[in-house]
Amino acid sequence: MAAAVRDPARRSVTRSVTRSVTRSVTRSVTRPLHRSVRSLVVPVATGSVALALLVVAVVPFTGLIGGTATAALLVLGLLVGLVVLSARDGCSILTWALVLLFLVPQPYVLVGPLKSVGNPATLVALAGLAIWAASRVLNLSQASELNPVRWVLLVFTIAATAAYAAAMLRDLTTSESASTTRVIFGHLALLGVALLAVDELGARDRISVLLRRVVLLGGVAALIGIAEFMVPTFDFREVMRLPGLAANVDPESVSRSGFDRITAGASHPIEFAVVTAALVPLALHFVIHTRTGRWPYALALVAMLAAIPMSVSRSGFLALAVGFLFYAAALSHRGRLNALVLGLIGVAAFRAMVPGLLGTVRSLFRDSATDPSIAGRTDDYAQIPGLMEGHWWWGRGLGTFVPDVYFFLDNQFLAALLQGGVVGLAVFVVLLVVGIGTARGVRRRATDPELRSLGQALAATIASLGVSGFVFDLLSFRQSGFLLFLAIGCAGALWSLVRHEPKVQHRPAPAPAPEPGEVRWLSPVS
């Protein structure tokens, strides 16, 4: 009887031991197999995607396929790239908008009744604003309270609404009415970009990822511009004339002093030059603070610096000077010296490669006092007091100053005064001051040198765009407006991460020894 009792117990123990041994053997065999398969699948998948993108990027320019197939391949490559980058968060939505902003020529809109509102980047930004609003209403966002950027965006919205009301209180021409409607959607898109950046980027690494992407996209746009300058038969706008897109305005080539001015995906050479110059501080930051794989940012930086003179634009050089001086204030003495030496070498090499171009640019500044375009523009400014009669506080109305009806301003501050009055002008200035101050606040509160440098780079980008507003109607162009509000939004997002840290006065620290194999072009920031 006892043996009969023991036998089931033995069989149970045997079964459990057998199962545990079997599981152990299976795991020891399958785990290495799974690791091997995973280690094989990931590189193969990555390589396949890279090969597909390379084919999509190269084949259209070989002439082996027709125009329709070329357009289809380009669109396919864009969609594949967006899917690869997508993580279904605020960073991904903004990346979509930036890709469309830089790689789809801005005069192009979707075929249909939307006209200028149908610009792909604008539509994505408007969708981003709707997503931000839904996340706030449904309490899905973990945004910090009392962010200064969010408050100044609220004030900006109130001022724009008041300017729109001022427009509705007077009789508008057909052109003014259409322009007012168009500008409303443009302002909503700008708010979508800034609010997504402030509240939906979250962690510091996602903010850095987004800014890295905008630098690389700026580098790609600069390379496209260089190709337009070097190859007279290459016209990026013609290449990107895809099915489903139509030109809202007729693109035209602009030349100055015998040089064709480049635009890439921008609406005008001035916009291209200002946006490219404003990205230089961010590119410098990533060149300095990326320890491995910095060559894409270095290439983007070199391409930007080479492309700015090819736009033959004074505004671009003004934005470049302001941005660099602003960021150089955070560099160590050695970093500034190295940057100066590298800049002089670059200027000498550029003069040898493109004879006459830098001399043309120099003459633009030297002869600016007698430039008929500047004289004609400043003469038109004498009409502003008469136009503002009775509208000094709230302006003539949002979007009602139509250049084709009146005259070209090329001055964002005067545009803000004309459209929003003294209140609108003051709010625009406050927007710039708060953006720069918030970015500087990140630098003053952060203890990590890389984060301090990023704050200063954002302040430099905002400052360069703001100063260019004196010679360029900044918010009338999509790329410059989007970049300004993106930089302000990212500054607000970084400020949320360090807002509880006390302000600390930092002194330049000695540069740490470079790691083995590391090539250091500029010393780290202080």
Side-chain angles (χ1 to χ4, degrees):
M1 187 69 178
V5 173
R6 285 195 298 269
D7 287 340
R10 288 176 180 174
R11 283 196 296 270
S12 177
V13 171
T14 303
R15 287 195 193 101
S16 63
V17 171
T18 304
R19 286 173 183 170
S20 65
V21 170
T22 303
R23 282 197 297 266
S24 176
V25 172
T26 303
R27 288 172 182 167
S28 64
V29 173
T30 57
R31 281 182 178 174
L33 181 61
H34 289 166
R35 292 195 191 99
S36 300
V37 172
R38 191 181 300 113
S39 63
L40 180 64
V41 168
V42 172
V44 170
T46 304
S48 300
V49 172
L51 180 61
L53 290 175
L54 180 63
V55 170
V56 169
V58 173
V59 169
F61 304 102
T62 62
L64 299 177
I65 56 178
T68 303
T70 297
L73 272 178
L74 287 169
V75 172
L76 176 62
L78 179 62
L79 293 176
V80 170
L82 294 177
V83 170
V84 170
L85 294 173
S86 176
R88 294 184 297 278
D89 61 356
C91 180
S92 298
I93 296 172
L94 289 172
T95 299
W96 287 39
L98 291 170
V99 169
L100 296 171
L101 183 71
F102 282 96
L103 300 186
V104 175
Q106 291 312 295
Y108 290 164
V109 298
L110 297 180
V111 174
L114 294 177
K115 296 185 179 180
S116 62
V117 179
N119 177 269
T122 298
L123 293 177
V124 173
L126 290 172
L129 178 62
I131 292 172
W132 173 85
S135 67
R136 296 291 288 178
V137 170
L138 299 175
N139 200 25
L140 301 177
S141 176
Q142 298 180 351
S144 62
E145 301 298 330
L146 302 178
N147 191 299
V149 168
R150 196 185 303 112
W151 280 105
V152 78
L153 291 175
L154 174 62
V155 174
F156 176 82
T157 304
I158 294 173
T161 304
Y164 178 75
M168 296 298 103
L169 292 177
R170 67 183 186 87
D171 293 332
L172 300 179
T173 65
T174 302
S175 299
E176 288 177 329
S177 178
S179 177
T180 298
T181 304
R182 180 174 63 251
V183 171
I184 288 174
F185 285 99
H187 276 55
L188 291 175
L190 295 177
L191 289 173
V193 170
L195 290 171
L196 273 180
V198 172
D199 291 337
E200 303 299 332
L201 289 180
R204 170 182 165 182
D205 61 334
R206 297 302 285 169
I207 303 172
S208 180
V209 164
L210 179 64
L211 293 175
R212 288 175 185 272
R213 289 173 180 174
V214 73
V215 167
L216 294 178
L217 285 169
V220 171
L223 290 173
I224 293 171
I226 293 172
E228 288 181 333
F229 187 86
M230 295 297 184
V231 184
T233 57
F234 174 68
D235 188 345
F236 181 66
R237 288 173 291 188
E238 288 298 323
V239 171
M240 294 301 294
R241 193 181 289 272
L242 306 177
L245 295 179
N248 189 47
V249 295
D250 294 329
E252 58 181 12
S253 299
V254 183
S255 61
R256 174 179 277 176
S257 301
F259 291 100
D260 290 332
R261 304 175 69 184
I262 60 177
T263 58
S267 300
H268 194 275
I270 296 178
E271 179 188 24
F272 171 83
V274 169
V275 169
T276 303
L279 287 173
V280 167
L282 288 170
L284 269 172
H285 162 78
F286 289 117
V287 168
I288 295 173
H289 288 279
T290 301
R291 293 191 175 274
T292 58
R294 78 174 65 185
W295 67 267
Y297 308 104
L299 177 61
L301 175 61
V302 172
M304 291 176 192
L305 293 175
I308 292 171
M310 296 178 182
S311 66
V312 199
S313 169
R314 284 179 289 249
S315 303
F317 280 92
L318 175 63
L320 177 64
V322 172
F324 180 77
L325 290 175
F326 219 92
Y327 184 72
L331 288 172
S332 65
H333 296 304
R334 177 189 167 192
R336 296 168 196 162
L337 179 61
N338 290 348
L340 177 62
V341 172
L342 290 174
L344 293 175
I345 294 173
V347 168
F350 190 88
R351 291 189 63 179
M353 295 176 62
V354 190
L357 181 57
L358 291 182
T360 299
V361 174
R362 185 174 63 251
S363 67
L364 291 177
F365 286 95
R366 186 183 62 238
D367 302 333
S368 59
T370 57
D371 191 327
S373 64
I374 295 180
R377 195 175 302 122
T378 53
D379 290 342
D380 290 335
Y381 292 167
Q383 305 177 42
I384 292 178
L387 292 171
M388 291 298 297
E389 189 67 33
H391 306 287
W392 282 103
W393 284 108
W394 302 106
R396 296 177 57 83
L398 183 68
T400 57
F401 192 84
V402 183
D404 293 338
V405 176
Y406 299 99
F407 50 87
F408 287 92
L409 282 171
D410 284 341
N411 188 311
Q412 181 57 46
F413 295 90
L414 289 180
L417 176 65
L418 280 163
Q419 298 183 56
V422 173
V423 173
L425 175 61
V427 168
F428 179 67
V429 172
V430 170
L431 177 72
L432 295 176
V433 171
V434 170
I436 295 173
T438 304
R440 285 283 300 166
V442 173
R443 170 172 168 76
R444 296 186 64 183
R445 284 180 168 85
T447 56
D448 179 19
E450 182 178 352
L451 185 55
R452 285 167 47 77
S453 170
L454 184 55
Q456 186 70 16
L458 284 171
T461 295
I462 298 169
S464 64
L465 290 169
V467 171
S468 69
F470 286 103
V471 293
F472 169 63
D473 39 352
L474 188 66
L475 299 186
S476 298
F477 292 88
R478 194 170 290 108
Q479 286 190 357
S480 54
F482 273 42
L483 181 59
L484 174 64
F485 276 72
L486 176 70
I488 293 174
C490 288
L494 288 176
W495 185 88
S496 297
L497 302 178
V498 299
R499 66 186 187 279
H500 297 304
E501 300 295 330
K503 294 181 180 180
V504 180
Q505 295 294 334
H506 294 265
R507 293 183 177 181
E515 295 182 354
E518 179 185 0
V519 179
R520 180 164 292 164
W521 297 357
L522 300 175
S523 58
V525 295
S526 59

